[in-house]
Amino acid sequence: MTLPHEGPQEAPIVPPPPGTIADLFQEALPDIEFTATQGAVDVILIVAREDVPGVLRTAKDDPRLDLKYLRCLLGVDHMDGGLEVVYQLYSFTHKHGVTIKTRLPLDDPRVASAASIWKGADWLERETAEMFGITFEGHPNPVPLLLPDDMTDHHPLRKDNPFAQMEEWQGLRLGAEASKAGHIPAGYESIAGEGGEEDGG
Amino acid sequence: MLTDQERELETLDIHVNVGPQHPATHGVFRMVLTVSGEKVVDVVPHIGYMHRGAEKLSEGMDYRQALIYQDRTEYLAQFNAELCYCLAVEKLAGLEVPERAEYIRVILTELNRITSHYMFVGAFATDIGVYGTAFTYAFREREYIQEIFDAVSGDRMMYGYFRPGGVVWDVTDDFKDRVRWVCGQTRVGIDDIDRLLTKNEIFLTRCLDIGVISKEDAIDYGLSGPMLRACGLPFDLRRAEPYSIYDRFQFDIPTGTRGDVYDRYLVRMEEMRQSVRIVEQALEEMPDGPIMPEKAPRRLRLPPGEVYMRTENPRGEYGIYLVSKGGEKPYRLKIRSSCLSNLTALKQMVVGHYVADAVVILGSVDIVLGEVDR
């Protein structure tokens, strides 16, 4: 296995084998285009954001899919690739699950809210909204969940939101630039204090 | 116009603030109850007092370092959280875990489930008004297991013992004997608490038909774990989507029928007994051998990809959504908190009950604020 050593890499699209949940989606939604890829555990469906409400509604209501359980809803910041919203669904009757993903452009991060489909989406969307600056249209109560109400100027989980110097340093100490005891990376002298590292890293 | 008599009877809804510093909120949780007389007509939960940005901080760490945030997130079931994280990393890295490490992990994870449920029983009984006795019983029993964790990992709370690929070092020589003894002791301990609480008249009156939630609502809200099983749905990830080596063990999945506070208590009590069963089976089969893969890389680099790994933790489905774009650090690490999802149904459960019941219902959710806020 060769691994890339520089720069972020996207996972390749691997079409899932026939007979997975992707075929059921194709049956239930013949008019909607989506890309299916086999993830490490679940099948991942990538849909356009205009199709999200229709796909989610069908996923829950269609008896062939019956994905009544919203396990998880989250955002991912792909920097130049835009923001991503991920829905993790499961069906208790058919015992199958699926990941649905959609990309939103950075300059217009809007997507329809799923709070009217699953009650549990309410808080999860509030969290994703505050952390990434995504607008969930039609959300019944779009206020911050974990962050203070007045903290609207930056979104912590975006990649352009920087780490504190201390947090960067912690990542460097034992990480890729692991160094010998007493070594302080350039630029971090002020927080290292007198005498450098005492515990020897 | 109201007559004088009517004006006298006119009532006003008042707001009662509970928390963030309040013994009944199990941490820094705040809820604003709107009450009409003694009845709750609305509840607004406020969370985030303990938000430390564990997900963001993990992005700045390499895969080995990021593990420690799992302990700090889910600080009552640390081994369970560590296991979920390790499984997610192993899934993407394609690491094979040695047999012995798998068994060690399962034993510790199930013991951790017992300590977590002991914590629940003690705190829950205190919420109800069984002040002291149940709590001391539960904590005495919990301490026996805690001592094993201490001996194995070197820490009482932030274990950091699991590693992607296995565990950091082998267990102590007397591990098997101690765990075997603690299994017997735990059966006695559970029976003690059982005799104290389960058929207690006052306990029953406080618990029965309080905070009922239907199976359909429970699914819609995304409840999981004992909260979901108390509604009558026998869904346990250890059985439904077996991870690690859980497909090798015999155990039952307890369910409730009413979906009330009492059922949640009963489900957790029975789960402790089932955990003891699993631990005993695992002890019998535990082989000797290595605890880390032979070719475990010292510095882990993951190929690009993403995975949603989920495990059955004491409080429900704990999930790690891990996105890798190559390199040594997670590109994105989302923690799916079982408590957060369980808490979303609080309003549905509390409205219509008395103020005193609101505390009991919150106790039955068994929240860990570290996991809710992350």
Side-chain angles (χ1 to χ4, degrees), chain A residues 39-176:
Chain A
V41 181
D42 301 292
V43 172
I44 301 168
L45 305 180
I46 303 161
V47 300
R49 75 163 152 175
E50 293 75 29
D51 300 332
V52 165
V55 170
L56 294 183
R57 178 59 75 182
T58 311
K60 190 185 177 190
D61 293 342
D62 193 292
R64 285 167 290 189
L65 299 166
D66 203 32
L67 296 152
K68 291 257 191 295
Y69 190 57
L70 176 72
R71 289 182 133 157
C72 192
L73 190 160
L74 65 140
V76 183
D77 181 1
H78 287 281
M79 293 191 275
D80 296 338
L83 296 166
E84 192 172 65
V85 180
V86 183
Y87 305 84
Q88 189 73 35
L89 309 176
Y90 185 74
S91 162
F92 292 115
T93 45
H94 300 302
K95 304 206 184 311
H96 59 204
V98 71
T99 308
I100 294 175
K101 300 203 300 189
T102 188
R103 285 279 176 110
L104 318 174
L106 265 180
D107 52 351
D108 180 31
R110 289 179 297 113
V111 69
S113 166
S116 58
I117 306 176
W118 293 280
K119 288 176 192 163
D122 184 337
W123 284 25
L124 299 174
E125 283 184 347
R126 278 168 68 187
E127 189 194 334
T128 311
E130 66 185 352
M131 294 294 176
F132 290 94
I134 297 170
T135 309
F136 288 93
E137 290 178 317
H139 192 283
N141 183 24
V143 294
L145 183 71
L146 298 171
L147 301 181
D149 288 351
D150 55 356
M151 188 171 151
T152 48
D153 53 338
H154 61 286
H155 307 290
L157 282 178
R158 282 238 189 145
K159 289 285 176 188
D160 57 11
N161 195 55
F163 285 111
Q165 205 185 16
M166 175 58 102
E167 290 156 9
E168 275 179 26
W169 186 40
Q170 285 173 335
L172 288 177
R173 280 180 76 197
L174 297 165

Side-chain angles (χ1 to χ4, degrees), chain B residues 130-154:
Chain B
V130 190
Y131 198 78
T133 317
F135 196 81
T136 36
Y137 274 29
F139 262 62
R140 183 190 63 199
E141 302 302 327
R142 189 174 178 270
E143 192 59 29
Y144 296 130
I145 304 175
Q146 199 73 49
E147 277 169 8
I148 297 180
F149 293 167
D150 194 355
V152 167
S153 72

Side-chain angles (χ1 to χ4, degrees), chain B residues 46-327:
Chain B
H46 294 273
I47 58 173
Y49 291 95
M50 217 173 159
H51 179 65
R52 295 150 295 174
E55 293 173 9
K56 178 78 176 178
L57 289 171
S58 301
E59 289 173 14
M61 300 280 171
D62 67 26
Y63 287 105
R64 206 168 29 122
Q65 289 174 302
L67 177 96
I68 60 143
Y69 289 113
Q70 301 306 316
D71 296 326
R72 282 142 185 84
T73 299
E74 170 50 304
Y75 53 71
L76 286 182
Q78 303 90 326
F79 282 132
N80 293 263
E82 284 178 23
L83 178 66
C84 188
Y85 172 82
C86 289
L87 288 173
V89 175
E90 285 155 12
K91 202 64 128 185
L92 277 187
L95 278 173
E96 283 283 326
V97 183
E99 283 281 292
R100 183 174 172 83
E102 291 272 29
Y103 278 92
I104 293 173
R105 283 180 180 191
V106 164
I107 291 169
L108 291 173
T109 305
E110 289 307 315
L111 288 176
N112 210 169
R113 191 185 310 278
I114 297 170
T115 61
S116 174
H117 282 348
Y118 269 139
M119 181 81 196
F120 159 77
V121 174
F124 180 62
T126 311
D127 284 343
I128 281 183
V130 190
Y131 198 78
T133 317
F135 196 81
T136 36
Y137 274 29
F139 262 62
R140 183 190 63 199
E141 302 302 327
R142 189 174 178 270
E143 192 59 29
Y144 296 130
I145 304 175
Q146 199 73 49
E147 277 169 8
I148 297 180
F149 293 167
D150 194 355
V152 167
S153 72
D155 202 310
R156 279 180 62 83
M157 200 162 172
M158 304 303 169
Y159 306 132
Y161 176 65
F162 294 178
R163 290 287 182 276
V167 293
V168 61
W169 50 63
D170 210 336
V171 290
T172 48
D173 294 338
D174 57 353
F175 179 71
K176 274 190 173 183
D177 296 334
R178 290 179 78 163
V179 174
R180 202 166 282 127
W181 180 84
V182 103
C183 283
Q185 180 58 38
T186 302
R187 284 182 200 280
V188 177
I190 299 169
D191 286 345
D192 275 354
I193 295 171
D194 208 20
R195 279 199 297 278
L196 183 70
L197 294 178
T198 308
K199 299 236 169 75
N200 183 314
E201 181 73 31
I202 301 166
F203 190 77
L204 282 169
T205 320
R206 289 298 306 273
C207 291
L208 277 174
D209 296 324
I210 301 295
V212 178
I213 195 159
S214 71
K215 198 201 290 190
E216 289 69 32
D217 275 343
I219 294 171
D220 214 24
Y221 275 113
L223 302 196
S224 54
M227 295 279 288
L228 185 60
R229 289 191 283 276
C231 301
L233 191 71
F235 180 72
D236 190 319
L237 284 167
R238 290 174 291 174
R239 180 68 50 79
E241 300 178 331
Y243 51 90
S244 189
I245 48 165
Y246 274 105
D247 47 353
R248 301 182 192 174
F249 304 118
Q250 304 280 323
F251 62 99
D252 300 327
I253 302 170
T255 54
T257 48
R258 293 176 300 270
D260 60 359
V261 167
Y262 190 59
D263 272 350
R264 284 170 213 148
Y265 161 79
L266 288 183
V267 164
R268 291 197 174 98
M269 287 294 277
E270 185 55 34
E271 268 185 25
M272 285 158 77
R273 296 197 171 95
Q274 297 303 326
S275 289
V276 175
R277 271 180 75 187
I278 297 174
V279 172
E280 285 175 341
Q281 292 170 54
L283 269 185
E284 286 302 312
E285 298 167 16
M286 189 166 112
D288 290 332
I291 46 148
M292 279 291 268
E294 268 175 34
K295 286 183 192 159
R298 192 172 145 71
R299 273 157 54 179
L300 215 53
R301 282 178 176 276
L302 264 56
E306 55 201 276
V307 63
Y308 176 69
M309 191 65 223
R310 53 269 176 172
T311 57
E312 188 68 39
N313 277 24
R315 270 157 285 281
E317 176 176 329
Y318 189 87
I320 297 283
Y321 194 95
L322 183 64
V323 180
S324 161
K325 294 209 172 187

Side-chain angles (χ1 to χ4, degrees), chain B residues 318-374:
Chain B
Y318 189 87
I320 297 283
Y321 194 95
L322 183 64
V323 180
S324 161
K325 294 209 172 187
E328 294 189 340
K329 296 177 179 179
Y331 186 78
R332 166 90 169 100
L333 190 144
K334 158 79 183 176
I335 300 166
R336 190 270 191 205
S337 159
S338 46
C339 298
L340 182 91
S341 291
N342 288 352
L343 207 53
T344 53
L346 186 71
K347 184 172 174 181
Q348 170 112 3
M349 291 187 288
V350 166
V351 169
H353 286 293
Y354 292 112
V355 178
D357 293 333
V359 170
V360 175
I361 293 165
L362 182 66
S364 78
V365 180
D366 190 18
I367 47 170
V368 170
L369 267 303
E371 197 199 327
V372 173
D373 297 344
R374 282 156 285 147

